[in-house]
Amino acid sequence: MVVADIVRPPSAGGLAIAARQWDEAVRSRSLAIDGDLAAFAEFNRLGWNYFSNPDGEPIDKPSSLAEQLGWLTEAGFSAVDCIWLFAGHAIFSGRKP
C-alpha cells in the first residue's frame, strides 16, 4: 500500500519549516506556470497552508508520520517506510505478506 498525504510535524519548529517549504513550493510553481504570483496570492487568501495555522482547519486533522507508520505496522504491514517527505507532505508505504 502506498499513501500520499500531509502529515503533522511533531514540533512547532517542524510546523514552521513545513509552512515555509510549502509556501516556497507554491510560490515557485505559481511563477513557473503563470509567470506571476496570482496563484500564490490565492493560495494564501484561501488559507490553504495548513502548517501556517494547523488549528484553524476544522476538517483536515493530519496525524504525525510516526503515527501513520505505526498504524500500518499494527495493521500487519511489513517493510513500512517513508519514501519521500517535503513541506509536510509524505509518501509512505508498507507491504502485506
Side-chain angles (χ1 to χ4, degrees), residues 17-43:
I17 291 168
R20 194 168 52 249
Q21 288 177 334
W22 200 2
D23 274 347
E24 182 52 36
V26 173
R27 183 183 179 284
S28 295
R29 293 303 294 160
S30 180
L31 287 171
I33 293 170
D34 298 324
D36 60 34
L37 294 174
F40 179 62
E42 185 68 2
F43 172 78

